[in-house]
PDB file of all heavy atoms in Angstrom:
ATOM      1  N   ALA A   1     149.497 161.388  -0.957  1.00 95.00           N
ATOM      2  CA  ALA A   1     150.891 161.720  -0.618  1.00 95.00           C
ATOM      3  C   ALA A   1     151.027 162.037   0.870  1.00 95.00           C
ATOM      4  O   ALA A   1     151.983 161.593   1.518  1.00 95.00           O
ATOM      5  CB  ALA A   1     151.371 162.896  -1.473  1.00 95.00           C
ATOM      6  N   GLN A   2     150.077 162.785   1.422  1.00 95.00           N
ATOM      7  CA  GLN A   2     150.111 163.087   2.845  1.00 95.00           C
ATOM      8  C   GLN A   2     149.903 161.829   3.684  1.00 95.00           C
ATOM      9  O   GLN A   2     150.542 161.652   4.723  1.00 95.00           O
ATOM     10  CB  GLN A   2     149.037 164.133   3.196  1.00 95.00           C
ATOM     11  CG  GLN A   2     149.362 165.519   2.701  1.00 95.00           C
ATOM     12  CD  GLN A   2     150.612 166.081   3.352  1.00 95.00           C
ATOM     13  OE1 GLN A   2     150.772 166.030   4.565  1.00 95.00           O
ATOM     14  NE2 GLN A   2     151.517 166.598   2.547  1.00 95.00           N
ATOM     15  N   ASP A   3     149.026 160.959   3.229  1.00 94.00           N
ATOM     16  CA  ASP A   3     148.789 159.671   3.887  1.00 94.00           C
ATOM     17  C   ASP A   3     150.107 158.905   3.985  1.00 94.00           C
ATOM     18  O   ASP A   3     150.496 158.434   5.056  1.00 94.00           O
ATOM     19  CB  ASP A   3     147.750 158.893   3.085  1.00 94.00           C
ATOM     20  CG  ASP A   3     147.483 157.481   3.588  1.00 94.00           C
ATOM     21  OD1 ASP A   3     148.358 156.865   4.220  1.00 94.00           O
ATOM     22  OD2 ASP A   3     146.385 156.975   3.319  1.00 94.00           O
ATOM     23  N   ARG A   4     150.794 158.793   2.857  1.00 95.00           N
ATOM     24  CA  ARG A   4     152.062 158.055   2.807  1.00 95.00           C
ATOM     25  C   ARG A   4     153.088 158.694   3.756  1.00 95.00           C
ATOM     26  O   ARG A   4     153.758 158.004   4.527  1.00 95.00           O
ATOM     27  CB  ARG A   4     152.594 158.041   1.378  1.00 95.00           C
ATOM     28  CG  ARG A   4     153.746 157.113   1.137  1.00 95.00           C
ATOM     29  CD  ARG A   4     154.136 157.053  -0.342  1.00 95.00           C
ATOM     30  NE  ARG A   4     153.021 156.644  -1.189  1.00 95.00           N
ATOM     31  CZ  ARG A   4     152.307 157.469  -1.982  1.00 95.00           C
ATOM     32  NH1 ARG A   4     152.599 158.740  -2.058  1.00 95.00           N
ATOM     33  NH2 ARG A   4     151.317 157.003  -2.715  1.00 95.00           N
ATOM     34  N   LEU A   5     153.199 160.022   3.722  1.00 97.00           N
ATOM     35  CA  LEU A   5     154.162 160.725   4.558  1.00 97.00           C
ATOM     36  C   LEU A   5     153.872 160.519   6.045  1.00 97.00           C
ATOM     37  O   LEU A   5     154.756 160.145   6.822  1.00 97.00           O
ATOM     38  CB  LEU A   5     154.151 162.225   4.226  1.00 97.00           C
ATOM     39  CG  LEU A   5     155.017 163.109   5.124  1.00 97.00           C
ATOM     40  CD1 LEU A   5     156.486 162.830   4.872  1.00 97.00           C
ATOM     41  CD2 LEU A   5     154.691 164.570   4.886  1.00 97.00           C
ATOM     42  N   TRP A   6     152.625 160.745   6.454  1.00 95.00           N
ATOM     43  CA  TRP A   6     152.265 160.604   7.861  1.00 95.00           C
ATOM     44  C   TRP A   6     152.418 159.170   8.335  1.00 95.00           C
ATOM     45  O   TRP A   6     152.946 158.915   9.421  1.00 95.00           O
ATOM     46  CB  TRP A   6     150.830 161.080   8.100  1.00 95.00           C
ATOM     47  CG  TRP A   6     150.750 162.552   8.234  1.00 95.00           C
ATOM     48  CD1 TRP A   6     150.437 163.445   7.260  1.00 95.00           C
ATOM     49  CD2 TRP A   6     151.024 163.325   9.400  1.00 95.00           C
ATOM     50  NE1 TRP A   6     150.490 164.721   7.747  1.00 95.00           N
ATOM     51  CE2 TRP A   6     150.841 164.681   9.064  1.00 95.00           C
ATOM     52  CE3 TRP A   6     151.394 163.010  10.692  1.00 95.00           C
ATOM     53  CZ2 TRP A   6     151.025 165.702   9.977  1.00 95.00           C
ATOM     54  CZ3 TRP A   6     151.569 164.033  11.599  1.00 95.00           C
ATOM     55  CH2 TRP A   6     151.383 165.358  11.237  1.00 95.00           C
ATOM     56  N   THR A   7     151.943 158.221   7.560  1.00 95.00           N
ATOM     57  CA  THR A   7     152.035 156.816   7.965  1.00 95.00           C
ATOM     58  C   THR A   7     153.485 156.396   8.123  1.00 95.00           C
ATOM     59  O   THR A   7     153.861 155.814   9.146  1.00 95.00           O
ATOM     60  CB  THR A   7     151.307 155.914   6.946  1.00 95.00           C
ATOM     61  OG1 THR A   7     149.933 156.307   6.897  1.00 95.00           O
ATOM     62  CG2 THR A   7     151.417 154.459   7.326  1.00 95.00           C
ATOM     63  N   ASN A   8     154.312 156.685   7.133  1.00 96.00           N
ATOM     64  CA  ASN A   8     155.714 156.280   7.207  1.00 96.00           C
ATOM     65  C   ASN A   8     156.451 156.990   8.341  1.00 96.00           C
ATOM     66  O   ASN A   8     157.291 156.386   9.013  1.00 96.00           O
ATOM     67  CB  ASN A   8     156.413 156.527   5.875  1.00 96.00           C
ATOM     68  CG  ASN A   8     155.909 155.596   4.790  1.00 96.00           C
ATOM     69  OD1 ASN A   8     155.338 154.551   5.072  1.00 96.00           O
ATOM     70  ND2 ASN A   8     156.093 155.980   3.547  1.00 96.00           N
ATOM     71  N   THR A   9     156.115 158.258   8.575  1.00 97.00           N
ATOM     72  CA  THR A   9     156.756 158.992   9.658  1.00 97.00           C
ATOM     73  C   THR A   9     156.416 158.372  11.011  1.00 97.00           C
ATOM     74  O   THR A   9     157.305 158.113  11.832  1.00 97.00           O
ATOM     75  CB  THR A   9     156.325 160.472   9.637  1.00 97.00           C
ATOM     76  OG1 THR A   9     156.732 161.058   8.391  1.00 97.00           O
ATOM     77  CG2 THR A   9     156.944 161.244  10.785  1.00 97.00           C
ATOM     78  N   TRP A  10     155.127 158.112  11.249  1.00 95.00           N
ATOM     79  CA  TRP A  10     154.740 157.552  12.542  1.00 95.00           C
ATOM     80  C   TRP A  10     155.220 156.114  12.700  1.00 95.00           C
ATOM     81  O   TRP A  10     155.583 155.702  13.813  1.00 95.00           O
ATOM     82  CB  TRP A  10     153.229 157.662  12.758  1.00 95.00           C
ATOM     83  CG  TRP A  10     152.857 159.057  13.109  1.00 95.00           C
ATOM     84  CD1 TRP A  10     152.158 159.940  12.362  1.00 95.00           C
ATOM     85  CD2 TRP A  10     153.215 159.767  14.302  1.00 95.00           C
ATOM     86  NE1 TRP A  10     152.051 161.149  13.008  1.00 95.00           N
ATOM     87  CE2 TRP A  10     152.693 161.067  14.202  1.00 95.00           C
ATOM     88  CE3 TRP A  10     153.928 159.434  15.443  1.00 95.00           C
ATOM     89  CZ2 TRP A  10     152.862 162.018  15.205  1.00 95.00           C
ATOM     90  CZ3 TRP A  10     154.092 160.387  16.443  1.00 95.00           C
ATOM     91  CH2 TRP A  10     153.556 161.661  16.313  1.00 95.00           C
ATOM     92  N   LEU A  11     155.231 155.348  11.624  1.00 96.00           N
ATOM     93  CA  LEU A  11     155.785 153.994  11.723  1.00 96.00           C
ATOM     94  C   LEU A  11     157.256 154.054  12.118  1.00 96.00           C
ATOM     95  O   LEU A  11     157.720 153.260  12.944  1.00 96.00           O
ATOM     96  CB  LEU A  11     155.613 153.239  10.406  1.00 96.00           C
ATOM     97  CG  LEU A  11     154.199 152.792  10.057  1.00 96.00           C
ATOM     98  CD1 LEU A  11     154.167 152.166   8.661  1.00 96.00           C
ATOM     99  CD2 LEU A  11     153.657 151.824  11.088  1.00 96.00           C
ATOM    100  N   GLY A  12     157.988 154.998  11.537  1.00 97.00           N
ATOM    101  CA  GLY A  12     159.404 155.162  11.874  1.00 97.00           C
ATOM    102  C   GLY A  12     159.605 155.587  13.322  1.00 97.00           C
ATOM    103  O   GLY A  12     160.472 155.055  14.035  1.00 97.00           O
ATOM    104  N   ILE A  13     158.804 156.550  13.779  1.00 96.00           N
ATOM    105  CA  ILE A  13     158.932 157.038  15.157  1.00 96.00           C
ATOM    106  C   ILE A  13     158.595 155.933  16.157  1.00 96.00           C
ATOM    107  O   ILE A  13     159.354 155.674  17.104  1.00 96.00           O
ATOM    108  CB  ILE A  13     158.042 158.273  15.379  1.00 96.00           C
ATOM    109  CG1 ILE A  13     158.618 159.466  14.608  1.00 96.00           C
ATOM    110  CG2 ILE A  13     157.898 158.592  16.855  1.00 96.00           C
ATOM    111  CD1 ILE A  13     157.697 160.661  14.548  1.00 96.00           C
ATOM    112  N   TYR A  14     157.447 155.277  15.950  1.00 95.00           N
ATOM    113  CA  TYR A  14     157.049 154.224  16.885  1.00 95.00           C
ATOM    114  C   TYR A  14     157.997 153.027  16.826  1.00 95.00           C
ATOM    115  O   TYR A  14     158.310 152.421  17.855  1.00 95.00           O
ATOM    116  CB  TYR A  14     155.618 153.765  16.611  1.00 95.00           C
ATOM    117  CG  TYR A  14     154.578 154.819  16.890  1.00 95.00           C
ATOM    118  CD1 TYR A  14     153.475 154.962  16.054  1.00 95.00           C
ATOM    119  CD2 TYR A  14     154.673 155.674  17.975  1.00 95.00           C
ATOM    120  CE1 TYR A  14     152.510 155.918  16.296  1.00 95.00           C
ATOM    121  CE2 TYR A  14     153.705 156.638  18.225  1.00 95.00           C
ATOM    122  CZ  TYR A  14     152.632 156.757  17.385  1.00 95.00           C
ATOM    123  OH  TYR A  14     151.682 157.701  17.627  1.00 95.00           O
ATOM    124  N   GLY A  15     158.446 152.673  15.636  1.00 96.00           N
ATOM    125  CA  GLY A  15     159.390 151.566  15.499  1.00 96.00           C
ATOM    126  C   GLY A  15     160.716 151.868  16.173  1.00 96.00           C
ATOM    127  O   GLY A  15     161.277 151.020  16.880  1.00 96.00           O
ATOM    128  N   ALA A  16     161.231 153.093  15.975  1.00 97.00           N
ATOM    129  CA  ALA A  16     162.490 153.477  16.614  1.00 97.00           C
ATOM    130  C   ALA A  16     162.336 153.519  18.135  1.00 97.00           C
ATOM    131  O   ALA A  16     163.237 153.097  18.877  1.00 97.00           O
ATOM    132  CB  ALA A  16     162.946 154.831  16.085  1.00 97.00           C
ATOM    133  N   SER A  17     161.207 154.007  18.606  1.00 95.00           N
ATOM    134  CA  SER A  17     160.965 154.065  20.050  1.00 95.00           C
ATOM    135  C   SER A  17     160.893 152.661  20.649  1.00 95.00           C
ATOM    136  O   SER A  17     161.459 152.403  21.718  1.00 95.00           O
ATOM    137  CB  SER A  17     159.674 154.831  20.336  1.00 95.00           C
ATOM    138  OG  SER A  17     159.415 154.877  21.717  1.00 95.00           O
ATOM    139  N   ALA A  18     160.210 151.756  19.959  1.00 96.00           N
ATOM    140  CA  ALA A  18     160.120 150.373  20.448  1.00 96.00           C
ATOM    141  C   ALA A  18     161.496 149.704  20.442  1.00 96.00           C
ATOM    142  O   ALA A  18     161.862 149.020  21.412  1.00 96.00           O
ATOM    143  CB  ALA A  18     159.135 149.573  19.599  1.00 96.00           C
ATOM    144  N   ALA A  19     162.260 149.919  19.382  1.00 96.00           N
ATOM    145  CA  ALA A  19     163.597 149.324  19.304  1.00 96.00           C
ATOM    146  C   ALA A  19     164.512 149.892  20.386  1.00 96.00           C
ATOM    147  O   ALA A  19     165.264 149.143  21.039  1.00 96.00           O
ATOM    148  CB  ALA A  19     164.193 149.569  17.926  1.00 96.00           C
ATOM    149  N   THR A  20     164.428 151.199  20.613  1.00 96.00           N
ATOM    150  CA  THR A  20     165.221 151.820  21.673  1.00 96.00           C
ATOM    151  C   THR A  20     164.823 151.260  23.031  1.00 96.00           C
ATOM    152  O   THR A  20     165.683 150.981  23.879  1.00 96.00           O
ATOM    153  CB  THR A  20     165.026 153.352  21.661  1.00 96.00           C
ATOM    154  OG1 THR A  20     165.400 153.854  20.383  1.00 96.00           O
ATOM    155  CG2 THR A  20     165.859 154.028  22.734  1.00 96.00           C
ATOM    156  N   GLY A  21     163.526 151.076  23.236  1.00 95.00           N
ATOM    157  CA  GLY A  21     163.053 150.499  24.494  1.00 95.00           C
ATOM    158  C   GLY A  21     163.590 149.103  24.722  1.00 95.00           C
ATOM    159  O   GLY A  21     163.978 148.754  25.836  1.00 95.00           O
ATOM    160  N   VAL A  22     163.611 148.293  23.663  1.00 95.00           N
ATOM    161  CA  VAL A  22     164.127 146.917  23.787  1.00 95.00           C
ATOM    162  C   VAL A  22     165.602 146.947  24.172  1.00 95.00           C
ATOM    163  O   VAL A  22     166.046 146.208  25.069  1.00 95.00           O
ATOM    164  CB  VAL A  22     163.921 146.135  22.465  1.00 95.00           C
ATOM    165  CG1 VAL A  22     164.719 144.853  22.448  1.00 95.00           C
ATOM    166  CG2 VAL A  22     162.447 145.852  22.251  1.00 95.00           C
ATOM    167  N   VAL A  23     166.364 147.815  23.507  1.00 95.00           N
ATOM    168  CA  VAL A  23     167.797 147.894  23.804  1.00 95.00           C
ATOM    169  C   VAL A  23     168.025 148.378  25.236  1.00 95.00           C
ATOM    170  O   VAL A  23     168.816 147.795  25.985  1.00 95.00           O
ATOM    171  CB  VAL A  23     168.507 148.815  22.783  1.00 95.00           C
ATOM    172  CG1 VAL A  23     169.931 149.112  23.207  1.00 95.00           C
ATOM    173  CG2 VAL A  23     168.491 148.192  21.397  1.00 95.00           C
ATOM    174  N   LEU A  24     167.326 149.438  25.625  1.00 94.00           N
ATOM    175  CA  LEU A  24     167.503 149.972  26.985  1.00 94.00           C
ATOM    176  C   LEU A  24     167.020 148.992  28.049  1.00 94.00           C
ATOM    177  O   LEU A  24     167.597 148.932  29.140  1.00 94.00           O
ATOM    178  CB  LEU A  24     166.777 151.308  27.132  1.00 94.00           C
ATOM    179  CG  LEU A  24     167.388 152.490  26.389  1.00 94.00           C
ATOM    180  CD1 LEU A  24     166.517 153.722  26.534  1.00 94.00           C
ATOM    181  CD2 LEU A  24     168.797 152.765  26.903  1.00 94.00           C
ATOM    182  N   ALA A  25     165.969 148.234  27.744  1.00 93.00           N
ATOM    183  CA  ALA A  25     165.450 147.266  28.718  1.00 93.00           C
ATOM    184  C   ALA A  25     166.447 146.157  28.999  1.00 93.00           C
ATOM    185  O   ALA A  25     166.418 145.551  30.072  1.00 93.00           O
ATOM    186  CB  ALA A  25     164.138 146.669  28.228  1.00 93.00           C
ATOM    187  N   SER A  26     167.317 145.891  28.054  1.00 92.00           N
ATOM    188  CA  SER A  26     168.267 144.793  28.267  1.00 92.00           C
ATOM    189  C   SER A  26     169.675 145.279  28.618  1.00 92.00           C
ATOM    190  O   SER A  26     170.478 144.487  29.104  1.00 92.00           O
ATOM    191  CB  SER A  26     168.324 143.917  27.018  1.00 92.00           C
ATOM    192  OG  SER A  26     168.764 144.680  25.918  1.00 92.00           O
ATOM    193  N   THR A  27     169.975 146.556  28.400  1.00 92.00           N
ATOM    194  CA  THR A  27     171.354 147.008  28.628  1.00 92.00           C
ATOM    195  C   THR A  27     171.506 148.069  29.705  1.00 92.00           C
ATOM    196  O   THR A  27     172.625 148.345  30.112  1.00 92.00           O
ATOM    197  CB  THR A  27     171.951 147.571  27.328  1.00 92.00           C
ATOM    198  OG1 THR A  27     171.194 148.703  26.910  1.00 92.00           O
ATOM    199  CG2 THR A  27     172.000 146.526  26.237  1.00 92.00           C
ATOM    200  N   SER A  28     170.441 148.658  30.151  1.00 86.00           N
ATOM    201  CA  SER A  28     170.543 149.742  31.124  1.00 86.00           C
ATOM    202  C   SER A  28     171.019 149.216  32.467  1.00 86.00           C
ATOM    203  O   SER A  28     170.666 148.113  32.888  1.00 86.00           O
ATOM    204  CB  SER A  28     169.187 150.429  31.278  1.00 86.00           C
ATOM    205  OG  SER A  28     169.304 151.524  32.153  1.00 86.00           O
ATOM    206  N   GLY A  29     171.787 150.046  33.168  1.00 86.00           N
ATOM    207  CA  GLY A  29     172.325 149.644  34.457  1.00 86.00           C
ATOM    208  C   GLY A  29     171.339 149.813  35.599  1.00 86.00           C
ATOM    209  O   GLY A  29     171.407 149.114  36.603  1.00 86.00           O
ATOM    210  N   SER A  30     170.392 150.704  35.448  1.00 87.00           N
ATOM    211  CA  SER A  30     169.442 150.992  36.518  1.00 87.00           C
ATOM    212  C   SER A  30     168.166 150.178  36.319  1.00 87.00           C
ATOM    213  O   SER A  30     167.643 150.058  35.219  1.00 87.00           O
ATOM    214  CB  SER A  30     169.116 152.492  36.484  1.00 87.00           C
ATOM    215  OG  SER A  30     167.988 152.782  37.257  1.00 87.00           O
ATOM    216  N   SER A  31     167.661 149.636  37.427  1.00 85.00           N
ATOM    217  CA  SER A  31     166.436 148.835  37.323  1.00 85.00           C
ATOM    218  C   SER A  31     165.230 149.713  36.956  1.00 85.00           C
ATOM    219  O   SER A  31     164.335 149.262  36.244  1.00 85.00           O
ATOM    220  CB  SER A  31     166.175 148.081  38.626  1.00 85.00           C
ATOM    221  OG  SER A  31     165.921 149.002  39.674  1.00 85.00           O
ATOM    222  N   THR A  32     165.200 150.965  37.417  1.00 86.00           N
ATOM    223  CA  THR A  32     164.087 151.854  37.052  1.00 86.00           C
ATOM    224  C   THR A  32     164.123 152.206  35.569  1.00 86.00           C
ATOM    225  O   THR A  32     163.080 152.294  34.931  1.00 86.00           O
ATOM    226  CB  THR A  32     164.088 153.151  37.898  1.00 86.00           C
ATOM    227  OG1 THR A  32     165.341 153.807  37.756  1.00 86.00           O
ATOM    228  CG2 THR A  32     163.813 152.857  39.345  1.00 86.00           C
ATOM    229  N   GLU A  33     165.322 152.387  35.022  1.00 89.00           N
ATOM    230  CA  GLU A  33     165.442 152.667  33.585  1.00 89.00           C
ATOM    231  C   GLU A  33     165.022 151.454  32.763  1.00 89.00           C
ATOM    232  O   GLU A  33     164.394 151.598  31.709  1.00 89.00           O
ATOM    233  CB  GLU A  33     166.871 153.085  33.234  1.00 89.00           C
ATOM    234  CG  GLU A  33     167.218 154.486  33.690  1.00 89.00           C
ATOM    235  CD  GLU A  33     168.638 154.881  33.351  1.00 89.00           C
ATOM    236  OE1 GLU A  33     169.324 154.141  32.611  1.00 89.00           O
ATOM    237  OE2 GLU A  33     169.069 155.945  33.828  1.00 89.00           O
ATOM    238  N   ARG A  34     165.384 150.265  33.223  1.00 90.00           N
ATOM    239  CA  ARG A  34     164.975 149.051  32.504  1.00 90.00           C
ATOM    240  C   ARG A  34     163.455 148.908  32.539  1.00 90.00           C
ATOM    241  O   ARG A  34     162.831 148.557  31.552  1.00 90.00           O
ATOM    242  CB  ARG A  34     165.651 147.806  33.100  1.00 90.00           C
ATOM    243  CG  ARG A  34     167.112 147.674  32.748  1.00 90.00           C
ATOM    244  CD  ARG A  34     167.659 146.288  33.078  1.00 90.00           C
ATOM    245  NE  ARG A  34     167.440 145.904  34.459  1.00 90.00           N
ATOM    246  CZ  ARG A  34     168.269 146.158  35.478  1.00 90.00           C
ATOM    247  NH1 ARG A  34     169.395 146.805  35.249  1.00 90.00           N
ATOM    248  NH2 ARG A  34     167.982 145.757  36.701  1.00 90.00           N
ATOM    249  N   TYR A  35     162.861 149.178  33.682  1.00 89.00           N
ATOM    250  CA  TYR A  35     161.402 149.093  33.831  1.00 89.00           C
ATOM    251  C   TYR A  35     160.719 150.105  32.913  1.00 89.00           C
ATOM    252  O   TYR A  35     159.780 149.768  32.186  1.00 89.00           O
ATOM    253  CB  TYR A  35     161.027 149.346  35.298  1.00 89.00           C
ATOM    254  CG  TYR A  35     159.594 149.023  35.622  1.00 89.00           C
ATOM    255  CD1 TYR A  35     159.193 147.720  35.836  1.00 89.00           C
ATOM    256  CD2 TYR A  35     158.643 150.038  35.708  1.00 89.00           C
ATOM    257  CE1 TYR A  35     157.877 147.417  36.145  1.00 89.00           C
ATOM    258  CE2 TYR A  35     157.326 149.747  36.017  1.00 89.00           C
ATOM    259  CZ  TYR A  35     156.945 148.435  36.232  1.00 89.00           C
ATOM    260  OH  TYR A  35     155.642 148.143  36.525  1.00 89.00           O
ATOM    261  N   ASP A  36     161.205 151.341  32.932  1.00 89.00           N
ATOM    262  CA  ASP A  36     160.643 152.379  32.053  1.00 89.00           C
ATOM    263  C   ASP A  36     160.782 151.987  30.580  1.00 89.00           C
ATOM    264  O   ASP A  36     159.879 152.220  29.778  1.00 89.00           O
ATOM    265  CB  ASP A  36     161.340 153.723  32.282  1.00 89.00           C
ATOM    266  CG  ASP A  36     161.014 154.337  33.630  1.00 89.00           C
ATOM    267  OD1 ASP A  36     160.148 153.794  34.350  1.00 89.00           O
ATOM    268  OD2 ASP A  36     161.642 155.371  33.957  1.00 89.00           O
ATOM    269  N   ALA A  37     161.906 151.400  30.241  1.00 92.00           N
ATOM    270  CA  ALA A  37     162.142 151.003  28.848  1.00 92.00           C
ATOM    271  C   ALA A  37     161.187 149.887  28.431  1.00 92.00           C
ATOM    272  O   ALA A  37     160.710 149.875  27.289  1.00 92.00           O
ATOM    273  CB  ALA A  37     163.591 150.557  28.676  1.00 92.00           C
TER     274      ALA A  37
END
């Protein structure tokens, strides 16, 4: 149960972070923000 909880939690966090990065990399107005994303 702990395995399932930890795995799903980290998959969600990393997936959301990657998706946010993709969106910010293509929509941000600042070149430094796009680079960071």
Side-chain angles (χ1 to χ4, degrees):
Q2 288 296 312
D3 175 334
R4 191 175 303 105
L5 174 69
W6 278 96
T7 300
N8 291 340
T9 299
W10 284 111
L11 288 175
I13 290 169
Y14 294 141
S17 179
T20 302
V22 167
V23 170
L24 289 176
S26 61
T27 62
S28 184
S30 166
S31 65
T32 56
E33 286 179 9
R34 286 193 305 271
Y35 191 79
D36 291 353

